[in-house]
Amino acid sequence: MNRLEALFSKKKQNILSIYYTAGYPALNDTLRIAEELEAAGADLLEIGFPYSDPVADGPVIQGSSKIALDNGMNLKLLFEQLKDLRSRVNIPVLLMGYVNPMLQFGVENFCRACKEVGVDGCIVPDLPMAEYERHYKTLFGSYDLCNIFLITPQTSEERIRKIDSLSRGFIYLLSSSATTGKNLDVSEDTEAYFSRIQSMNLKNPLMIGFGIHDRHTFKKTAAYASGAIIGSAFVKNIGEGKPVSDFIASITGT
Amino acid sequence: MQHNHKNMNYFVDEQGYYGDFGGAYIPEMLYPNVEELRANYLKIIADPGFRAEFDQLLKDYVGRPSPLYRAGRLSERYGANIFLKREDLNHTGAHKINNTIGQILMAERLGKKRIIAETGAGQHGVATATVCALRGLECVVYMGEIDIQRQAPNVARMKMLGAKVVPATSGSKTLKDATNEAMRDWINNPVDTHYIIGSVVGPHPYPDMVARFQSVISAETKKQLLEQTGSALPDFVLACVGGGSNAIGMFYHFLDDTAVKLVAVEAAGKGVRSGYSAATTLLGQEGVLHGSRSILMQTEDGQVVEPHSVSAGLDYPGIGPQHAHLFKTGRGEYVSITDEESLQAGLLLTQMEGIIPAIESAHALAYLEKMDLKTGQSVVVCLSGRGDKDMETYMKYFGL
């Protein structure tokens, strides 16, 4: 059981996961933000490694990725920055990004580096399930990494079952089919969709993400899962130079 | 479009791969749409009703078959028989419409109400807006902000055809970014929208579907060549490659005729080593862009590099996965031509044959200068588009 699985076995609700882009707003902010997030009460971190063509992302994360790349961020540098991760941060950490930078770095090199610095898994939206199963599942397993899959309102029940069988850690439930950062309005349809997935009794815990931007949407979505994920709203805040702790307090109400 | 190949090596396999290339590297949000297309496209294409409608529109609306013209003065110059496959004479001025006709009929059969597309120079955008007007479907075209400025007449054509042209303001604000924006639109509209990709790129089944629609080019060429020369097989077939749709269409029915040499001409821009080039096979490495594994221009860190070519249609950092496979297996020869060489070739064709070619197609023509042709050999060049859209570039370069 790695740190991620340990988190879900001891905490069953209101898990707060925060996404932010490595190397943003300044190149060396990556670890500082991780520490501040843990101190402020985040349960789980998703650190984005930037890519030039992030098709699943809206304007906020596109913008942070571009600035991070302009700052000189890349995977090699990120793993150097994360060398001290485990002497400074205890909560589980995932890396999130697109498949091409990972392929150029070498998928096995990537897995090995994750293991060495204490990263617990990754989220790679454009790495398809079939490809993962065929080529990378064994590799991820041998480095004790969790690979997190997404599901959307359009994902069929059969496919959700298959994703559940391949998943470790949790399943990332998208609040709607959308790019990141579109403010969510939790409608009756959305709640019906969350209930439908909840009632499938999957073996993996669920985390809901995309469009969650304040205390209200966090509470509302987290009620249907183990917790929820906030990305663009947090990235926007740190981009404006606002304190990490204030943002987390505004979500958790502490 | 129909084929029964004894040797399937150069075509897509059941998993959506061409050797090491292809696949569908898409986020889960796109899976239902792409899967719906994958599960249905072959059935739809094989349906006699679809075929009849497609063939009739190509004939009566596009003006096919396009002529295969033996260019007399060029043949004399090069000491061989030079044939031009006149895709420039199609309605809307390029080969692009072969694909958009096929895809609009596909979208209708899938019950889609809204069409999106990306465009660089605007030729694919115009071809998409045209078929949407023809069938009365809503049309949104994504186009880089810089390309919108460079290609004002095509923007006006799309608007007049009733399309909404949305500027892509991210990244380099050109074709690659327009493609990103179109994919984002599709993610946000997962039910009623069909994405008409303009080249043999994107996730499986797009490269194969677009290739089948464009394969009419080589099917006609074989027949015409047989009629005109008594042999269906030329010595060489030449076509320019950006994403590679006219080239795949031109190569398609020759792929298993290994005696025919297939030459794909990429844009060297200001020179392959100048830092301003789009010669993907020379400068690229294997990777994933826009949903498929192929060869693309990228940094060591896997960030996609901005290409350069004087021709907007070749200004793309990748090539279709089938091209990557033809390159890697050696079935195709991939060469490159600079901006300057292509413009000179455009002028040469204009003055020797009275045909002003698109600068994209002029890249293929320019390679004739570099070939060591022998008497009696025959070459087919795909003249993929006409040069009207490029007059400003020609005027500037030649001081007309």
Side-chain angles (χ1 to χ4, degrees):
Chain A
M1 184 183 290
N2 73 16
R3 271 172 293 259
L4 188 65
E5 291 165 309
L7 168 66
F8 284 96
S9 73
K10 74 170 191 281
K11 190 166 177 180
K12 302 290 181 194
Q13 56 185 356
N14 289 322
I15 292 178
L16 173 61
S17 181
I18 298 288
Y19 168 93
Y20 66 99
T21 307
Y24 175 84
L27 184 60
N28 292 315
D29 282 340
T30 315
L31 261 192
R32 171 185 69 80
I33 292 172
E35 280 179 313
E36 290 182 22
L37 280 169
E38 179 169 28
D43 298 300
L44 167 60
L45 305 180
E46 296 169 21
I47 302 179
F49 51 96
Y51 178 48
S52 53
D53 294 81
V55 293
D57 286 300
V60 172
I61 294 174
Q62 285 174 43
S64 65
S65 300
K66 173 144 195 346
I67 290 172
L69 288 173
D70 291 346
N71 287 342
M73 181 45 70
N74 58 49
L75 271 177
K76 192 164 161 248
L77 184 60
L78 176 59
F79 284 119
E80 274 167 33
Q81 290 184 343
L82 294 179
K83 263 194 186 130
D84 297 332
L85 175 69
R86 287 307 167 198
S87 62
R88 293 165 67 176
V89 175
N90 295 311
I91 55 177
V93 172
L94 303 172
L95 294 188
M96 182 165 186
Y98 293 82
V99 71
N100 197 52
M102 223 169 118
L103 290 175
Q104 302 314 312
F105 192 81
V107 179
E108 178 145 27
N109 293 339
F110 179 89
C111 291
R112 190 183 305 114
C114 283
K115 183 75 183 163
E116 276 167 12
V117 301
V119 162
D120 305 290
C122 59
I123 310 173
V124 188
D126 62 342
L127 177 62
M129 181 165 65
E131 203 66 29
Y132 171 76
E133 191 179 15
R134 203 176 322 146
H135 297 298
Y136 305 125
K137 186 175 173 251
T138 313
L139 193 61
F140 274 58
S142 69
Y143 288 96
D144 198 27
L145 294 175
C146 298
N147 185 43
I148 308 301
F149 291 99
L150 314 181
I151 62 180
T152 82
Q154 279 74 38
T155 308
S156 69
E157 179 167 346
E158 185 192 358
R159 191 165 165 85
I160 293 173
R161 296 277 174 211
K162 171 94 182 165
I163 284 172
D164 192 35
S165 75
L166 276 177
S167 291
R168 268 186 68 192
F170 67 91
I171 292 174
Y172 195 138
L173 187 69
L174 264 60
S175 59
S176 65
S177 181
T179 42
T180 56
K182 266 194 152 180
N183 278 352
L184 174 68
D185 170 26
V186 187
S187 66
E188 271 178 34
D189 282 358
T190 313
E191 293 193 78
Y193 152 62
F194 292 159
S195 298
R196 172 168 64 85
I197 307 298
Q198 206 179 20
S199 68
M200 285 179 72
N201 292 315
L202 301 175
K203 74 176 172 69
N204 286 278
L206 299 168
M207 289 288 284
I208 299 181
F210 278 41
I212 295 156
H213 58 281
D214 57 11
R215 182 173 165 76
H216 172 71
T217 44
F218 177 74
K219 283 267 168 208
K220 201 121 197 216
T221 51
Y224 290 93
S226 299
I229 302 163
I230 299 180
S232 298
F234 177 72
V235 170
K236 191 162 170 279
N237 257 262
I238 54 170
E240 290 164 357
K242 293 180 185 160
V244 167
S245 55
D246 287 4
F247 181 83
I248 300 303
S250 79
I251 302 297
T252 58
T254 52
Chain B
M1 282 189 303
Q2 278 177 333
H3 57 77
N4 290 302
H5 300 286
K6 283 172 229 139
N7 179 353
M8 290 295 284
N9 283 344
Y10 304 118
F11 296 90
V12 78
D13 69 20
E14 275 178 23
Q15 276 75 46
Y17 276 82
Y18 305 86
D20 297 335
F21 304 106
Y25 290 78
I26 46 169
E28 188 63 28
M29 298 80 102
L30 290 178
Y31 181 84
N33 267 321
V34 172
E35 175 58 18
E36 179 186 34
L37 187 62
R38 189 202 64 78
N40 290 293
Y41 84 110
L42 289 177
K43 240 184 322 193
I44 291 174
I45 288 176
D47 172 58
F50 177 91
R51 287 218 39 131
E53 208 173 350
F54 181 68
D55 290 346
Q56 179 151 28
L57 280 170
L58 287 188
K59 176 170 168 283
D60 299 335
Y61 187 71
V62 175
R64 304 204 71 95
S66 67
L68 183 73
Y69 164 67
R70 183 180 179 279
R73 294 186 67 203
L74 274 194
S75 296
E76 209 169 294
R77 177 183 174 94
Y78 296 116
N81 291 307
I82 312 296
F83 293 89
L84 304 178
K85 181 58 175 165
R86 299 292 308 274
E87 294 300 302
D88 61 318
L89 294 177
N90 291 341
H91 178 44
T92 71
H95 71 289
K96 292 289 186 189
I97 191 124
N98 304 328
N99 170 45
T100 61
I101 294 271
Q103 284 205 48
I104 200 83
L105 298 179
M106 181 71 62
E108 283 178 346
R109 277 157 179 81
L110 294 172
K112 306 293 177 180
K113 305 283 178 239
R114 181 174 173 271
I115 299 296
I116 56 172
E118 84 296 338
T119 197
Q123 290 305 106
H124 174 59
V126 167
T128 303
T130 298
V131 295
C132 287
L134 178 69
R135 307 304 279 204
L137 291 179
E138 184 188 347
C139 180
V140 179
V141 179
Y142 290 89
M143 187 169 185
E145 201 172 41
I146 289 178
D147 290 333
I148 287 181
Q149 290 160 13
R150 290 197 289 203
Q151 309 286 343
N154 271 344
V155 175
R157 290 167 81 193
M158 286 185 268
K159 286 183 177 165
M160 191 167 168
L161 287 158
K164 185 174 160 205
V165 180
V166 180
T169 56
S170 60
S172 60
K173 306 176 175 64
T174 58
L175 177 58
K176 167 177 86 78
D177 310 285
T179 309
N180 292 340
E181 288 304 328
M183 290 179 95
R184 289 182 186 121
D185 179 309
W186 212 17
I187 286 171
N188 283 290
N189 294 284
V191 180
D192 66 339
T193 298
H194 176 72
Y195 178 16
I196 300 192
I197 297 183
S199 191
V200 284
V201 301
H204 176 67
Y206 276 99
D208 184 49
M209 178 175 67
V210 177
R212 285 166 187 263
F213 292 145
Q214 291 294 0
S215 71
V216 65
I217 300 173
S218 48
E220 286 175 6
T221 299
K222 267 188 152 170
K223 203 168 154 237
Q224 291 164 322
L225 208 56
L226 182 65
E227 282 165 12
Q228 292 182 33
T229 69
S231 165
L233 303 181
D235 296 285
F236 298 93
V237 170
L238 263 61
C240 64
V241 176
S245 68
N246 93 83
I248 287 294
M250 186 74 246
F251 294 170
Y252 198 89
H253 291 284
F254 294 111
L255 284 170
D256 287 333
D257 299 314
T258 48
V260 179
K261 292 195 179 63
L262 308 176
V263 183
V265 185
E266 296 182 321
K270 295 181 180 175
V272 170
R273 303 289 160 203
S274 67
Y276 296 91
S277 178
T280 304
T281 55
L282 283 168
L283 298 171
Q285 294 83 33
E286 294 182 16
V288 169
L289 177 66
H290 295 147
S292 63
R293 190 187 274 257
S294 185
I295 297 173
L296 57 128
M297 291 168 56
Q298 56 184 316
T299 66
E300 221 173 89
D301 182 41
Q303 310 300 337
V304 182
V305 165
E306 282 313 318
H308 165 86
S309 168
V310 65
S311 117
L314 304 183
D315 204 352
Y316 184 72
I319 50 171
Q322 193 169 13
H323 280 294
H325 181 56
L326 297 179
F327 170 71
K328 199 168 177 180
T329 57
R331 177 65 189 96
E333 188 187 353
Y334 287 71
V335 299
S336 59
I337 285 293
T338 64
D339 289 350
E340 205 163 326
E341 289 166 334
S342 70
L343 291 162
Q344 292 296 348
L347 183 66
L348 187 77
L349 184 75
T350 304
Q351 300 195 337
M352 292 193 75
E353 299 287 350
I355 300 169
I356 303 177
I359 299 173
E360 287 81 1
S361 323
H363 280 74
L365 292 162
Y367 193 68
L368 290 168
E369 292 281 327
K370 307 202 165 185
M371 296 173 78
D372 183 22
L373 292 169
K374 312 231 170 356
T375 313
Q377 286 187 320
S378 58
V379 184
V380 179
V381 183
C382 187
L383 197 64
S384 56
R386 68 177 84 127
D388 306 29
K389 69 182 177 60
D390 295 316
M391 283 316 296
E392 215 176 291
T393 310
Y394 282 131
M395 281 155 68
K396 228 163 143 189
Y397 184 78
F398 293 112
L400 303 170

